[in-house]
């Protein structure tokens, strides 16, 4: 199991959350949500973000403000809008490509 974990990490599929800052984890998660929703607005609260990012609730507003300061997103009560995806990608430490590829639809299998 450990060998598989190392192979996946080496291939870029596993990026340990402990090495990514909350800001990078937030950006990565927003990119994945943006890929799976229509439009640029994503409804979410700081409480929900803290659960999804596995962080304490008090750290979320700071991360949201830091990402918002770049101009990549706009935040207002219960909503985050992705304004500039190319600005958001480097903040995510380019970590959204491989996991996003894993969630791509599987090809149909003839029965």
């Amino acid at each position: 199991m450990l060998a598989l974990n190392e192979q996946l990490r080496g291939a870029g599929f596993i990026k340990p959350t402990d090495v990514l800052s909350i800001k990078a984890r937030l950006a990565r998660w927003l990119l994945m949500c943006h890929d799976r929703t229509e439009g640029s607005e994503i409804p979410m609260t700081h409480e929900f973000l803290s659960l999804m990012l596995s962080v304490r609730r008090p750290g979320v507003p700071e991360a949201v403000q830091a990402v918002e300061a770049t101009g990549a997103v706009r935040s207002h009560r219960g909503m985050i809008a992705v304004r500039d995806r190319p600005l958001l990608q480097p903040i995510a430490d380019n970590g959204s490509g491989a996991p996003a590829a894993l969630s791509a639809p599987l090809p149909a299998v003839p029965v």
Side-chain angles (χ1 to χ4, degrees):
M1 190 66 167
L2 189 58
L4 176 61
N5 187 356
E6 289 302 316
Q7 286 177 337
L8 291 173
R9 184 171 301 168
F13 288 108
I14 295 177
K15 194 159 213 167
T17 56
D18 57 342
V19 299
L20 290 178
S21 68
I22 296 175
K23 183 175 142 181
R25 290 161 63 186
L26 171 65
R28 181 178 182 205
W29 198 80
L30 289 172
L31 286 169
M32 287 194 274
C33 286
H34 189 247
D35 287 342
R36 290 157 182 78
T37 58
E38 292 186 24
S40 63
E41 291 194 344
I42 306 166
M44 65 184 66
T45 63
H46 289 175
E47 181 69 28
F48 179 73
L49 280 172
S50 71
L51 292 172
M52 293 297 102
L53 301 175
S54 297
V55 297
R56 291 177 37 121
R57 163 71 174 79
V60 173
E62 292 175 13
V64 171
Q65 289 171 358
V67 174
E68 190 173 14
T70 67
V73 300
R74 174 80 175 122
S75 171
H76 53 279
R77 188 171 180 90
M79 191 76 63
I80 294 181
V82 176
R83 300 178 90 191
D84 193 339
R85 187 180 173 89
L87 275 179
L88 195 56
Q89 289 170 327
I91 298 168
D93 194 28
N94 297 322
S96 64
L102 285 177
S103 65
L106 297 174
V109 178
V111 184

